[in-house]
Amino acid sequence: MALNEGDVAPAFTLMRDGGGMVSLADYKGQKLVLYAYPKDDTPGCTQEAIAFNGLRAAFAAAGTAILGISPDPVKSHDKFKAKHKLDFALAADEAQQALQDYGIWVEKSMYGRTYMGVERTTFLINADGKIARIWRKVKVAGHAEEVLAAAQGL
């Protein structure tokens, strides 16, 4: 089931880079950019992560945390984060439960083959835990800046 703006963001607790845990409750009382991406260290995902990372001071000034989520394992997140010097958490949803709860684990197709995967989506969650904005089927160029503008206006 697809989520809509104004819905309560589904709770989750997942393994994160560095071997710890991360949950939606960790961000209670602040805004959160939850961005879902298909795979660590692929061109679009790398560009998106670097763009969010480059704006993290501006997001912090807007009282907004950043959390990336993908089905990749923690070990992959650790390498990706170190390689690109990312300074925000990456959640590992290997069972795809949170991705399903957010309605973004979907059937995709490429070269005539269908498979299940992440639909690149960003959720801006307000300090009360409700979804303020949703960007579906994200095009990476300029996206982080657009999300920052929305966070600053929230």
Side-chain angles (χ1 to χ4, degrees), residues 116-137:
M116 296 301 289
V118 176
E119 182 175 85
R120 189 184 305 274
T121 306
T122 300
F123 299 89
L124 178 58
I125 301 168
N126 69 22
D128 296 325
K130 291 190 176 173
I131 298 170
R133 289 280 309 273
I134 302 172
W135 291 264
R136 298 186 192 281
K137 298 181 182 176

Side-chain angles (χ1 to χ4, degrees), residues 28-40:
K28 186 176 170 106
Q30 64 180 310
K31 295 176 278 186
L32 173 65
V33 171
L34 178 65
Y35 83 95
Y37 63 99
K39 187 151 184 58
D40 289 338

Side-chain angles (χ1 to χ4, degrees), residues 13-144:
T13 299
L14 298 166
M15 294 289 294
R16 62 162 282 173
D17 61 280
M21 302 295 285
V22 64
S23 70
L24 182 61
D26 296 341
Y27 300 97
K28 186 176 170 106
Q30 64 180 310
K31 295 176 278 186
L32 173 65
V33 171
L34 178 65
Y35 83 95
Y37 63 99
K39 187 151 184 58
D40 289 338
D41 230 7
T42 55
C45 298
T46 299
Q47 183 183 354
E48 185 177 25
I50 289 170
F52 276 119
N53 198 57
L55 294 172
R56 67 180 192 285
F59 276 105
T64 307
I66 302 167
L67 175 63
I69 181 173
S70 86
D72 291 315
V74 168
K75 194 173 189 177
S76 175
H77 283 345
D78 287 340
K79 288 180 188 172
F80 182 52
K81 190 170 174 174
K83 180 177 180 180
H84 298 289
K85 299 178 177 61
L86 304 178
D87 195 23
F88 55 84
L90 298 175
D93 189 10
E94 290 185 78
Q96 302 93 34
Q97 187 58 59
L99 295 168
Q100 289 177 41
D101 291 347
Y102 278 78
I104 54 177
W105 184 252
V106 299
E107 187 174 278
K108 301 170 93 173
S109 84
M110 187 183 332
Y111 308 121
R113 183 178 77 87
T114 61
Y115 61 98
M116 296 301 289
V118 176
E119 182 175 85
R120 189 184 305 274
T121 306
T122 300
F123 299 89
L124 178 58
I125 301 168
N126 69 22
D128 296 325
K130 291 190 176 173
I131 298 170
R133 289 280 309 273
I134 302 172
W135 291 264
R136 298 186 192 281
K137 298 181 182 176
V138 167
K139 301 291 184 240
V140 173
H143 176 63

